[in-house]
């Protein structure tokens, strides 16, 4: 297992906070604190991202902005000029975080053969010095671990990477920036671009001396002088800086507003006549718009859009949800040519119980059938509906067979097929069909979900992590369906609470008779702010302009991506306050 979280997740894949606490932090029972622990661990680190299921994963380092990434600037001393024929004698590296040197790596390496006398005179590294050093393969492996999660930087970096990769027997995975090629592009007119020449040009001695750590430190100082020059050219992401060395930088990045913020909002690509070509929404406007110019998106539509665009405009919003709603409205209003997909009505999915059957079972359908049925939805994700239906089969004794055999079916022998277990039609409709409808509408069935949670915890305690993870996803699917259904379909006033992206805060979405009444973020110490908001909602104020069922589905879809969720009815202002404080205290673990 990797010694750092980035390496752990890159090799394992996205993981839940509980899995990270158990498998990486060696905390087998975080007692509901796993999410908070992991959030504190990755706070402010752009290399990590939470997905819609509440799983933490790593982002592509090339997508990071230059001022967000960590860098490992390194240098390799070798026995020759070819990685095929030569070997490593020394690796030196410095790790940069926020423009500061936070860690160093240096080790001699045994190349497995004698060092040429010319190289000895150049570097001062002798056969005697490396005789007791670890083999080059071991040093390269240690360096790879040191550099994990960072962008590689070197002067003529492909030379150094080639030797490390030859020693490892595999390719390095991180993106690499070359100070030699960047300097030629950013500082034109110099006679020479050797490392010593750049150190002298920038006046940032001491000079390199052909020892790995000293040369890596000199390269790091040069790189830090080149970063502001990249920003002046409008290059702000690692991917775009890397594409400069390949000559594939798109030339139109200047059209991005320089004041584009790291904030949610809506952006507009416009042509020379000012006509809007495309409307999009973003959690982070600067990152999202910049990604169009980093060369990382190979779609033809994006390439055509960038070539045709003459400018980018934007409107900042207070939240991601507000950006989602504004994007939908602007697409309907402007009908941009490149938003063809956004103008097509998205199909929803429903959970259907066909009451014309003797023993109805839940099924996923694309549209109501119009007959005698119970239909719940629409929901945006077919996968989530399927996950929910599978979980219902664990909670309720659904009909599992045609019922035409001589005795109970396999599931009936375990008490999991209602008809085979002796249920008549009326009992089945009362205890299965009606209970399923109540559960998904958020009007009961909590004891059924609690039994499923206990089974999940039992499997986890027995180290049956795959089964526990599957149950966790099933429970999450049901909780999301019933939470959004309860909020949007409820009479009176209710609230849906979710952990905010900002650690230690809670998002509250309030609904009145199915209409979004308001949403705010609350943190510790803001009790009076919660009370004022609750008074406003109960008094008929704070109503957000959600227009029609399409926008209500957008709100519902946004809520289904939040983890965890808690639905509470609000009859007095302290009902909301109590629920918010419960989540902030960590008592609610989903």
């Amino acid at each position: 297992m990797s010694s750092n979280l980035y390496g752990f997740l890159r090799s394992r894949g996205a993981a839940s906070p509980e899995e990270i606490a158990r498998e990486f932090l060696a905390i087998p029972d975080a007692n509901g604190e796993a999410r908070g622990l992991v959030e504190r661990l990755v706070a402010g680190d752009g290399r990590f991202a939470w997905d819609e299921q509440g799983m933490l994963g790593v982002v592509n380092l090339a997508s990071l902005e230059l001022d967000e990434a960590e860098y490992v600037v390194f240098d390799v001393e070798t026995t020759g000029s070819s990685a095929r024929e030569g070997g490593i004698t020394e690796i030196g590296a410095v790790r940069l975080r926020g423009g500061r040197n936070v860690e160093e790596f240096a080790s001699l390496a045994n190349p497995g053969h004698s060092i040429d006398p010319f190289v000895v005179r150049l570097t001062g590294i002798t056969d005697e010095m490396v005789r007791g050093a670890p083999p080059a393969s071991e040093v390269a492996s240690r360096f790879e671990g040191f550099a994990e999660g960072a962008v590689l930087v070197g002067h003529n970096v492909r030379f150094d990477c080639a030797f490390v990769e030859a020693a490892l027997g595999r390719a390095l995975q991180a993106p690499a920036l070359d100070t030699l090629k960047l300097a030629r592009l950013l500082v034109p007119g110099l006679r020479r671009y050797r490392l010593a020449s750049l150190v002298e040009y920038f006046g940032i001695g001491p000079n390199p001396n052909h020892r790995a750590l000293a040369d890596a430190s000199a390269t790091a100082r040069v790189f830090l002088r080149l970063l502001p020059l990249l920003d002046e050219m409008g290059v702000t992401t690692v991917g775009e800086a890397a594409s400069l060395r390949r000559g594939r930088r798109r030339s139109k990045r200047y059209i991005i507003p320089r004041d584009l913020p790291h904030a949610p909002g809506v952006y507009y690509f416009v042509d020379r006549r000012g006509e809007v070509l495309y409307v999009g929404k973003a959690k982070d406007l600067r990152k999202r718009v910049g990604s169009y110019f980093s060369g990382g998106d190979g779609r033809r539509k994006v390439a055509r859009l960038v070539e045709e665009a003459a400018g980018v405009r934007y409107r900042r919003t207070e939240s991601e949800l507000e950006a989602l709603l504004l994007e939908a409205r602007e697409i309907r209003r402007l009908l941009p040519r490149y938003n063809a997909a956004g103008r097509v009505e998205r199909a929803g999915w429903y959970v259907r119980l066909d009451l014309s059957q003797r023993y109805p079972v839940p099924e996923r359908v694309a549209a109501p059938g119009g007959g005698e049925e119970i239909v719940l939805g629409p929901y945006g994700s077919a996968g989530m509906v399927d996950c929910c239906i599978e979980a219902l089969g664990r909670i309720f004794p659904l009909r599992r067979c045609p019922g035409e055999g001589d005795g109970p079916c396999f599931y009936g022998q375990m008490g999991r097929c209602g008809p085979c277990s002796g249920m008549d039609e009326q009992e089945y409709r009362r205890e299965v069909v009606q209970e399923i409808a109540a559960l998904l509408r958020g009007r009961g069935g909590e004891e059924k979900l609690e039994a499923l949670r206990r089974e999940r915890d039992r499997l986890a305690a027995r180290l049956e992590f795959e089964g526990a993870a599957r149950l966790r996803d099933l429970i999450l699917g049901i909780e999301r369906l019933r939470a959004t259904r309860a909020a949007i379909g409820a009479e009176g006033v209710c609230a849906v609470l979710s952990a905010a992206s900002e650690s230690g805060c809670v998002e509250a979405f309030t609904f009145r008779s199915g209409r979004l009444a308001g949403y705010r973020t609350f943190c510790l110490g803001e009790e009076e702010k919660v009370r004022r908001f609750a008074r406003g909602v109960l008094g008929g104020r704070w109503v957000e302009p959600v227009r029609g069922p399409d926008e209500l589905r957008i709100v519902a879809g946004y809520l289904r991506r939040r983890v965890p969720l808690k639905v509470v009815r609000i009859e007095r202002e302290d009902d909301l306050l109590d629920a918010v404080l419960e989540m902030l205290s960590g008592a609610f673990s989903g």
Side-chain angles (χ1 to χ4, degrees):
M1 181 187 298
S2 172
S3 61
N4 65 64
L5 182 57
Y6 184 93
F8 169 75
L9 292 175
R10 188 173 67 84
S11 59
R12 182 196 186 284
S16 70
E18 293 76 19
E19 290 166 337
I20 294 170
R22 183 174 58 248
E23 300 174 27
F24 179 74
L25 299 175
I27 304 175
D29 187 357
N31 295 322
E33 296 295 325
R35 175 86 184 200
L37 287 171
V38 177
E39 283 181 342
R40 289 193 292 273
L41 189 63
V42 302
D45 194 330
R47 299 175 300 167
F48 301 94
W50 297 96
D51 68 13
E52 297 177 356
Q53 285 73 45
M55 309 279 278
L56 185 68
V58 297
V59 303
N60 183 350
L61 294 178
S63 69
L64 293 177
E65 297 222 354
L66 290 168
D67 58 2
E68 288 182 334
E70 293 188 12
Y71 301 93
V72 165
V73 189
F74 75 110
D75 181 73
V76 174
E77 300 299 335
T78 72
T79 62
S81 59
S82 168
R84 292 182 179 179
E85 300 173 358
I88 296 173
T89 59
E90 187 178 37
I91 299 179
V94 298
R95 192 177 190 95
L96 300 179
R97 182 183 302 139
R100 296 176 56 248
N101 181 347
V102 296
E103 196 174 358
E104 294 183 349
F105 175 95
S107 177
L108 291 168
N110 190 333
H113 55 81
S114 60
I115 304 173
D116 186 272
F118 171 78
V119 176
V120 172
R121 290 193 298 272
L122 181 68
T123 65
I125 299 174
T126 65
D127 289 332
E128 184 178 355
M129 292 171 62
V130 301
R131 186 170 295 118
S137 59
E138 179 183 328
V139 176
S141 180
R142 285 168 45 207
F143 166 73
E144 185 182 35
F146 173 82
E148 199 155 39
V151 177
L152 297 175
V153 179
H155 201 68
N156 193 14
V157 72
R158 282 313 313 162
F159 173 88
D160 298 299
C161 286
F163 275 90
V164 173
E165 289 170 347
L168 289 172
R170 59 179 178 274
L172 293 166
Q173 298 301 313
L177 301 180
D178 190 342
T179 53
L180 172 61
K181 294 185 177 180
L182 288 176
R184 284 173 172 163
L185 192 105
L186 298 169
V187 191
L190 299 184
R191 291 180 59 192
R192 295 175 179 172
Y193 288 90
R194 294 182 305 180
L195 182 58
S197 301
L198 293 171
V199 167
E200 182 180 356
Y201 171 79
F202 287 118
I204 50 173
N207 286 329
N209 60 7
H210 293 292
R211 290 299 300 268
L213 183 57
D215 286 11
S217 298
T219 304
R221 294 194 297 274
V222 169
F223 178 65
L224 291 175
R225 292 300 181 95
L226 295 174
L227 283 175
L229 302 180
L230 285 169
D231 184 64
E232 290 177 10
M233 288 187 67
V235 179
T236 58
T237 69
V238 172
E240 186 165 72
S243 73
L244 287 173
R245 65 185 176 88
R246 295 190 297 269
R248 293 206 298 263
R249 175 175 173 260
R250 290 175 181 159
S251 61
K252 299 185 65 175
R253 191 173 174 93
Y254 64 87
I255 70 177
I256 299 179
R258 295 192 65 83
D259 62 345
L260 201 64
H262 290 289
V266 170
Y267 56 91
Y268 308 76
F269 279 86
V270 298
D271 63 15
R272 291 179 179 84
R273 299 184 301 275
E275 179 183 348
V276 175
L277 300 170
Y278 181 79
V279 177
K281 60 86 184 171
K283 288 191 292 187
D284 185 314
L285 284 164
R286 189 169 186 83
K287 280 187 179 180
R288 182 68 187 101
V289 174
S291 70
Y292 286 86
F293 299 86
S294 66
D297 193 324
R299 291 178 296 170
R300 293 183 194 174
K301 185 178 91 168
V302 171
R304 292 197 304 269
L305 171 64
V306 170
E307 289 304 316
E308 193 172 346
V312 179
R313 302 171 186 164
Y314 71 93
R315 287 176 62 179
R316 182 171 177 169
T317 61
E318 292 300 317
S319 68
E320 181 187 359
L321 176 58
E322 189 178 342
L324 281 165
L325 294 171
L326 179 59
E327 176 197 36
R329 293 168 189 167
E330 291 295 80
I331 289 174
R332 286 197 301 269
R333 181 176 72 88
L334 298 168
L335 299 178
R337 285 192 288 115
Y338 283 90
N339 280 107
R343 296 198 300 269
V344 177
E345 184 68 19
R346 291 185 178 181
W349 296 99
Y350 298 81
V351 177
R352 176 177 180 260
L353 290 153
D354 184 358
L355 299 181
S356 66
Q357 299 179 4
R358 293 179 58 198
Y359 295 96
V361 294
E363 57 182 335
R364 170 169 57 87
V365 296
E372 187 182 1
E373 60 186 7
I374 294 175
V375 179
L376 304 166
Y379 306 110
S381 167
M384 186 177 67
V385 172
D386 290 341
C387 206
C388 170
I389 291 174
E390 183 178 342
L392 292 174
R394 288 176 174 264
I395 299 174
F396 297 97
L398 299 176
R399 173 178 57 81
R400 301 279 187 167
C401 66
E404 300 171 354
D406 296 332
C409 68
F410 173 76
Y411 287 99
Q413 295 175 35
M414 297 186 294
R416 293 179 60 186
C417 177
C420 287
S421 301
M423 275 189 173
D424 60 30
E425 292 182 41
Q426 294 303 317
E427 185 182 9
Y428 183 89
R429 288 175 183 258
R430 183 177 63 253
E431 297 188 11
V432 177
V433 176
Q434 293 179 14
E435 287 294 317
I436 286 175
L439 174 66
L440 294 186
R441 286 168 175 160
R443 297 172 181 169
E446 182 58 38
E447 70 284 353
K448 302 285 189 182
L449 270 182
E450 187 56 39
L452 211 55
R453 294 188 189 104
R454 288 196 298 270
E455 175 66 8
R456 174 199 62 193
D457 296 340
R458 185 185 69 82
L459 290 175
R462 293 172 54 183
L463 305 183
E464 298 180 25
F465 298 130
E466 184 175 348
R470 184 63 179 160
L471 268 185
R472 177 204 64 212
D473 294 341
L474 296 175
I475 294 167
L476 187 59
I478 277 194
E479 287 176 336
R480 286 174 168 173
L481 286 176
R482 72 195 300 262
T484 53
R485 176 76 186 192
I488 293 174
E491 297 179 357
V493 178
C494 69
V496 180
L497 304 183
S498 165
S501 55
E502 181 181 355
S503 180
C505 297
V506 169
E507 280 186 307
F509 303 83
T510 56
F511 292 82
R512 183 188 299 109
S513 300
R515 184 180 180 186
L516 182 67
Y519 52 93
R520 295 291 185 275
T521 299
F522 303 112
C523 302
L524 284 171
E526 296 184 337
E527 288 83 355
E528 187 53 39
K529 180 180 176 182
V530 178
R531 287 193 178 95
R532 286 198 306 271
F533 179 69
R535 282 197 297 271
V537 171
L538 290 169
R541 302 190 303 276
W542 305 102
V543 175
E544 303 292 341
V546 176
R547 305 166 187 167
D550 291 345
E551 292 192 2
L552 196 56
R553 279 198 290 270
I554 291 174
V555 174
Y558 178 80
L559 288 177
R560 284 195 290 268
R561 297 196 299 271
R562 314 307 292 168
V563 179
L565 288 177
K566 182 178 179 67
V567 180
V568 294
R569 291 189 174 276
I570 303 177
E571 297 179 355
R572 55 193 182 89
E573 61 188 61
D574 281 350
D575 291 339
L576 180 60
L577 178 62
D578 292 344
V580 169
L581 291 176
E582 185 180 11
M583 282 200 75
L584 288 173
S585 68
F588 174 71
S589 62

